[in-house]
Amino acid sequence: MTDAMDLLRSNLSRVRIPEPTNRIYKQECCLSFDTPRSEGGLFIDLNTFLAFGKDFVVWNYERTGNPVYLHIKQRKKLVPEDRPSKKPTLLAIGVDGGFDNNEPEYDETYNIVILPNYATLPFPSVELPEKVRLAVDAVLLAESTERKEQLAAWTADKKQISSYAMNLQQIDNGVTVPPSGWKCSKCDKTENLWLNLTDGMILCGRRNWDGTGGNNHAVEHYQETGYPLSVKLGTITADLEAADVYSYPEDDSVLDPILGQHLAFFGIDFSSLQKTEMTTAERELDQNTNFDWNRIQESGQEVEPVFGPGYTGLVNLGNSCYLAATMQVVFSTHSFCERYYTKQSLKSAFETAPADPTVDLNMQLTKLAHGLLSGKYSIPSPDKFEKMNSSSLATNAKQEGIPPRMFKAVIAASHPEFSTMRQQDALEFFLHFLDQVERQNSGSSGSDPARSFKFGIEDRIVCSSGKVAYNRRHDYILSLNIPLHEATNKYEVEAFQKLKAQKTSEGKELDSDEIIRPRVPLEACLASFSSPEEIHDFYSTALQTKTTATKTARLTSFPDYLVLHMRKFIMGEGWVPKKLDVYIDVPDIIDLSQMRSKGPQTGEELLPEAGPEDEFQSNKPSADEDIVAQLVSMGFNHLHCQKAAINTSNVGVEEAMNWLLSHMDDPDIDSPISQKADFVVDQAKVDMLLQFGFQEAIAKKALKASGGDIEKATDWIFNNPEASISSEADCFDATTSSTPTNLDGGLPDGGERYRLMGVVSHIGTSTQCGHYVAHIFKDGRWVIFNDDKVGVSVNPPKDMGYLYFFERLKE
């Protein structure tokens, strides 16, 4: 011990006392998924405060020369098996009041270790130098960086006071609400009832995605009347703050400071009421407590767990299932497996990483690949294994999985949404991920695995002159509309819709076995992509005027892996995004040879190249000639009438007339009509699109492309899902280039036949909520990856996919 103490004193200059701003890692190795609970424990460098597993700490010593480490080892405490579970009071994980799940408790031991010979000194000890004691105390007391970045999932936000509460208008229509015996005014529902605080109507709540809940009568009443606040009957007690008040325009649970006064208006004495219903937050807690992954994807099936290389689960960090499902499929491809696993070791990635490997994408991708594919962490959890006998092990064993904290922090650093704990769109994450991988590999000597997904698309545009233009771009996904009119069971669906309407009018619920969803063949979706499409207001450089053109799309190259995105999320009535409830019949093998572009045809005449005047005319806004003609007939100037029609988005004669009368004295009224490039986006319309969940940059781009029309802008966004990552260099306007350019150099290309190898499915009403699960074809069988749960799939939901991953068949 004396020798170890002397060795420590001789290296005190390499020990630092951490400052409050220092990033301290003490939960997980920077290069692997080893933790203090791993066999070798965890070593924290007392100079950089980075953590390393037993097999990797020597690499750090060789690279930095830092010899002094705090070694943390955790061993499980023995506790009674019948310890009761604590009921959660917060929708959270890892915080007081959150989910407990009977997680085991651990004893923690500490030692000071000096490399390279692993000389060891116990901690705490008064014999240790003061600088070492202060450094270790600061490390142990500090909140770890891992916990700061990924603290708690699903934490419910504190309710805010509604802006509608203090000035709420209440209608004196003689309504008196009894203390019990409530029923929906529009159906027979007697539970999940809401009292509108304006007119006293009692109506049922929203229908849940799984068919439970109400019939949407309360929210429909708000849409009809605009009356903003409702309180859930059965949640009203003497503690009025605990009552569930919902604000429809604010779309959230809120506080009503004068709720007692609003209730008294309808004769309700809240002091005598007893609680009989769960609040929205409590119901959400209850649903998450009873969450059963078998019920979501393969209900009632005994799923046999799978362990070993390539079968490692990913721990849900809090609404991170979109990341887990996507990365499981990505690392099942040869390109990513080869780039970050078989051809790159952890040591080589560490040697080329910056001083802090936690912020290096290459290092964290290599760490994730080795964690998923090595099989090191895909073993039955010791906590579960010890409680099982051999007969129950086959179906009940569970692995712990690996938490992709550091990878998520790096990949989300350049994207504010992915750095939150909110649910995200798996498609948007996939595109962002590939974009980052392509950037990371652009200057390296290694191959870019993202290119295995990349392909070329060619739009062939024929204008009314008969001349042709070509427009080429690159993409990572093929986004497909779902033509519901091509459903193979349309007559059954029509009959179901009639039954549904009948039962709704009677206030009855449909049984789950009565629900009929449209079944659309994948072939119909692919045909819809390739079918001719009319383009209105296309500027023809041959005719030098705007005309109607026809566009057809084909692929100029076929990638190693083709990803099909099903456009299940569309804009419903009132511009509210909704999800199509539809099945897609997807075969295991597809042949896309009919979708290959043939390029310019013999005898085909290309449109002339666009000149400066053509650019101006192409971008020039167009006025509705019917509106202009009617205004001109009233005696107004033709140019003024055109401007009036354009500035009122061609809505109608009356609107154009009003604009014209109020702008007659504008100093630029006689100036020529400016180009569309001068179009100023209305921020109020941008804000409206932001409320739908769209990004601001995309909202502005869509409004510019649609001349400020919100409905057209919404359609543009849904028809251009690649817009969030597309750069202007990826495509060029048909009016500026009529000759196809070779943009596909370096892209993979080969046969057009593919085999289905992965499906990412989504459960929920929106991409911003619900749950994502992956099914992957591995070793001749389908396997389900549901966060940290991995098992042999009994009935893979191939007809419910959101993203389909196809692998090219070898010829």
Side-chain angles (χ1 to χ4, degrees):
M1 181 169 175
T2 303
D3 292 341
M5 189 67 73
D6 291 341
L7 186 61
L8 175 61
R9 288 194 176 98
S10 68
N11 284 288
L12 281 181
S13 63
R14 307 304 295 265
V15 175
R16 286 198 307 133
I17 299 173
E19 300 289 337
T21 56
N22 287 137
R23 293 159 58 90
I24 298 174
Y25 293 89
K26 57 182 179 178
Q27 290 187 339
E28 181 180 292
C29 173
C30 296
L31 314 183
S32 72
F33 292 92
D34 291 349
T35 70
R37 300 173 191 176
S38 301
E39 184 179 352
L42 204 60
F43 294 79
I44 290 88
D45 184 334
L46 288 180
N47 183 274
T48 64
F49 312 114
L50 296 172
F52 300 90
K54 182 180 179 182
D55 296 334
F56 312 101
V57 63
V58 68
W59 298 353
N60 185 63
Y61 169 71
E62 293 170 352
R63 175 175 167 172
T64 65
N66 294 336
V68 185
Y69 295 83
L70 169 64
H71 180 249
I72 304 178
K73 175 64 180 171
Q74 293 180 343
R75 293 178 176 84
K76 190 178 65 170
K77 288 182 179 180
L78 295 176
V79 295
E81 291 189 10
D82 58 351
R83 183 184 72 170
S85 297
K86 293 184 291 184
K87 181 174 177 63
T89 57
L90 277 177
L91 195 55
I93 290 176
V95 297
D96 291 338
F99 289 94
D100 174 39
N101 293 330
N102 268 341
E103 285 296 321
E105 297 177 356
Y106 290 84
D107 285 317
E108 206 164 57
T109 57
Y110 312 105
N111 287 288
I112 304 300
V113 176
I114 304 100
L115 265 62
N117 297 320
Y118 294 89
T120 303
L121 295 166
F123 181 89
S125 170
V126 294
E127 297 182 12
L128 289 171
E130 182 182 19
K131 185 178 183 182
V132 173
R133 297 200 307 269
L134 290 173
V136 174
D137 285 341
V139 168
L140 296 178
L141 287 172
E143 188 81 86
S144 73
T145 299
E146 301 100 322
R147 186 163 176 82
K148 286 180 181 177
E149 291 177 346
Q150 299 290 349
L151 179 66
W154 307 315
T155 301
D157 294 329
K158 184 177 179 180
K159 290 193 290 186
Q160 301 297 315
I161 294 175
S162 172
S163 60
Y164 296 87
M166 301 307 293
N167 299 312
L168 184 71
Q169 297 296 316
Q170 292 189 282
I171 301 173
D172 187 4
N173 51 11
V175 172
T176 301
V177 178
S180 60
W182 309 301
K183 186 175 80 71
C184 176
S185 300
K186 295 187 178 180
C187 68
D188 294 329
K189 288 282 185 182
T190 56
E191 295 180 346
N192 189 19
L193 298 176
W194 295 78
L195 170 70
N196 190 287
L197 292 175
T198 296
D199 62 1
M201 286 282 284
I202 297 175
L203 299 158
C204 61
R206 304 183 198 231
R207 183 180 294 108
N208 297 325
W209 63 268
D210 60 355
T212 61
N215 289 321
N216 297 327
H217 287 143
V219 67
E220 288 173 358
H221 184 63
Y222 159 70
Q223 292 168 350
E224 293 168 1
T225 64
Y227 300 156
L229 300 182
S230 287
V231 61
K232 189 172 186 180
L233 295 174
T235 69
I236 304 168
T237 64
D239 180 12
L240 285 180
E241 282 197 8
D244 197 358
V245 180
Y246 195 85
S247 170
Y248 292 106
E250 293 164 305
D251 195 21
D252 209 349
S253 293
V254 296
L255 291 176
D256 178 358
I258 53 174
L259 178 59
Q261 177 182 321
H262 290 151
L263 293 173
F265 187 86
F266 298 110
I268 298 176
D269 177 9
F270 61 86
S271 63
S272 63
L273 294 179
Q274 300 294 316
K275 184 179 179 193
T276 60
E277 282 269 1
M278 290 188 289
T279 65
T280 302
E282 288 171 336
R283 186 174 296 279
E284 193 175 358
L285 275 167
D286 187 62
Q287 289 170 346
N288 278 277
T289 305
N290 296 314
F291 179 83
D292 183 341
W293 70 290
N294 283 336
R295 178 177 176 270
I296 285 184
Q297 277 293 10
E298 301 193 33
S299 178
Q301 307 290 345
E302 287 291 337
V303 178
E304 176 188 350
V306 189
F307 304 98
Y311 296 104
T312 307
L314 286 169
V315 174
N316 194 318
L317 305 174
N319 289 324
S320 64
C321 55
Y322 67 92
L323 179 151
T326 305
M327 298 317 296
Q328 290 288 7
V329 184
V330 165
F331 278 104
S332 296
T333 64
H334 296 300
S335 53
F336 274 85
C337 177
E338 185 177 87
R339 170 67 178 83
Y340 295 106
Y341 181 63
T342 59
K343 288 190 175 181
Q344 177 154 279
S345 66
L346 288 167
K347 188 170 186 180
S348 65
F350 177 57
E351 288 172 344
T352 58
D356 185 352
T358 66
V359 299
D360 183 51
L361 180 58
N362 181 64
M363 179 71 251
Q364 294 309 314
L365 277 170
T366 305
K367 169 182 171 177
L368 182 62
H370 282 254
L372 289 173
L373 302 174
S374 67
K376 177 180 179 180
Y377 305 99
S378 182
I379 56 176
S381 169
D383 301 322
K384 305 293 182 181
F385 184 80
E386 292 170 4
K387 299 177 184 178
M388 297 177 191
N389 54 42
S390 58
S391 62
S392 64
L393 179 62
T395 57
N396 295 321
K398 177 187 174 184
Q399 60 174 282
E400 291 184 351
I402 55 177
R405 294 188 191 96
M406 294 184 188
F407 165 71
K408 183 175 185 288
V410 173
I411 200 68
S414 59
H415 196 292
E417 275 301 308
F418 297 134
S419 61
T420 69
M421 304 298 284
R422 294 189 291 270
Q423 183 63 278
Q424 303 295 334
D425 183 358
L427 169 67
E428 187 177 352
F429 174 76
F430 175 67
L431 292 173
H432 172 73
F433 167 76
L434 291 183
D435 180 57
Q436 294 299 301
V437 170
E438 185 174 41
R439 291 171 186 267
Q440 182 248 321
N441 284 280
S442 61
S444 66
S445 57
S447 60
D448 176 12
R451 294 184 78 80
S452 64
F453 290 96
K454 203 168 190 178
F455 59 93
I457 299 177
E458 178 182 86
D459 293 329
R460 181 175 181 269
I461 302 171
V462 183
C463 86
S464 56
S465 69
K467 296 181 181 181
V468 181
Y470 288 89
N471 184 9
R472 284 191 171 188
R473 64 186 186 278
H474 289 161
D475 215 328
Y476 288 121
I477 53 104
L478 195 62
S479 189
L480 302 177
N481 289 319
I482 303 174
L484 294 177
H485 63 278
E486 296 286 353
T488 56
N489 61 340
K490 61 179 66 177
Y491 298 114
E492 291 89 337
V493 172
E494 289 173 3
F496 162 70
Q497 294 295 342
K498 292 178 181 177
L499 175 64
K500 180 181 178 181
Q502 177 186 340
K503 288 208 168 187
T504 300
S505 65
E506 297 172 355
K508 298 179 181 178
E509 287 191 5
L510 287 163
D511 294 330
S512 57
D513 57 359
E514 291 180 305
I515 298 175
I516 304 294
R517 297 175 176 86
R519 282 196 168 275
V520 179
L522 178 64
E523 292 86 345
C525 302
L526 292 167
S528 176
F529 174 84
S530 301
S531 61
E533 174 188 350
E534 282 195 348
I535 304 175
H536 300 286
D537 292 329
F538 174 81
Y539 182 80
S540 169
T541 54
L543 302 175
Q544 295 191 339
T545 187
K546 291 189 176 182
T547 183
T548 299
T550 302
K551 182 186 78 172
T552 52
R554 295 288 187 272
L555 305 190
T556 58
S557 64
F558 285 79
D560 297 332
Y561 295 93
L562 180 66
V563 182
L564 302 183
H565 161 236
M566 310 312 299
R567 294 181 180 171
K568 290 191 172 183
F569 297 96
I570 63 171
M571 194 59 69
E573 293 182 10
W575 302 333
V576 177
K578 72 173 185 177
K579 182 179 179 181
L580 291 178
D581 196 9
V582 60
Y583 291 131
I584 308 296
D585 285 330
V586 179
D588 291 328
I589 306 293
I590 59 174
D591 187 341
L592 305 181
S593 55
Q594 296 299 315
M595 295 183 66
R596 184 178 285 276
S597 166
K598 297 177 182 178
Q601 304 298 297
T602 303
E604 191 173 68
E605 188 174 355
L606 299 176
L607 281 168
E609 296 290 335
E613 179 62 24
D614 294 317
E615 291 285 353
F616 173 81
Q617 294 296 335
S618 175
N619 292 320
K620 185 177 179 180
S622 58
D624 186 305
E625 288 303 324
D626 289 338
I627 296 175
V628 173
Q630 291 187 57
L631 292 176
V632 169
S633 68
M634 300 177 191
F636 292 108
N637 177 280
H638 188 272
L639 175 61
H640 299 177
C641 297
Q642 285 182 311
K643 285 192 171 186
I646 290 169
N647 282 285
T648 55
S649 301
N650 294 314
V651 173
V653 174
E654 183 178 351
E655 290 79 5
M657 169 81 79
N658 292 333
W659 184 94
L660 189 55
L661 293 174
S662 60
H663 289 79
M664 291 292 291
D665 296 326
D666 287 359
D668 62 347
I669 191 67
D670 292 314
S671 301
I673 296 172
S674 62
Q675 291 177 261
K676 192 178 290 186
D678 297 332
F679 177 79
V680 178
V681 176
D682 185 342
Q683 187 59 41
K685 294 181 179 180
V686 174
D687 294 339
M688 186 175 294
L689 289 175
L690 292 180
Q691 292 176 11
F692 296 151
F694 302 128
Q695 297 176 22
E696 184 168 3
I698 302 304
K700 288 182 176 179
K701 190 173 182 180
L703 285 167
K704 285 183 179 180
S706 58
D709 186 296
I710 288 184
E711 190 168 359
K712 290 180 180 179
T714 304
D715 291 338
W716 186 92
I717 292 173
F718 279 97
N719 289 325
N720 294 272
E722 71 283 354
S724 60
I725 68 157
S726 295
S727 65
E728 292 184 4
D730 282 340
C731 68
F732 50 88
D733 193 273
T735 60
T736 62
S737 179
S738 301
T739 307
T741 306
N742 183 18
L743 297 177
D744 299 337
L747 291 187
D749 196 11
E752 302 91 353
R753 298 180 72 243
Y754 288 85
R755 177 181 61 83
L756 183 65
M757 56 83 65
V759 181
V760 172
S761 305
H762 174 267
I763 301 121
T765 57
S766 159
T767 53
Q768 271 64 55
C769 67
H771 189 60
Y772 288 97
V773 174
H775 285 76
I776 305 172
F777 191 74
K778 285 194 172 190
D779 301 325
R781 61 187 176 182
W782 282 95
V783 179
I784 181 172
F785 290 82
N786 186 6
D787 291 333
D788 59 345
K789 306 169 186 69
V790 183
V792 178
S793 176
V794 178
N795 184 25
K798 291 187 284 186
D799 54 0
M800 297 175 64
Y802 177 53
L803 300 176
Y804 290 96
F805 290 75
F806 285 86
E807 180 180 21
R808 185 180 20 240
L809 287 172
K810 295 180 180 179
E811 299 298 334

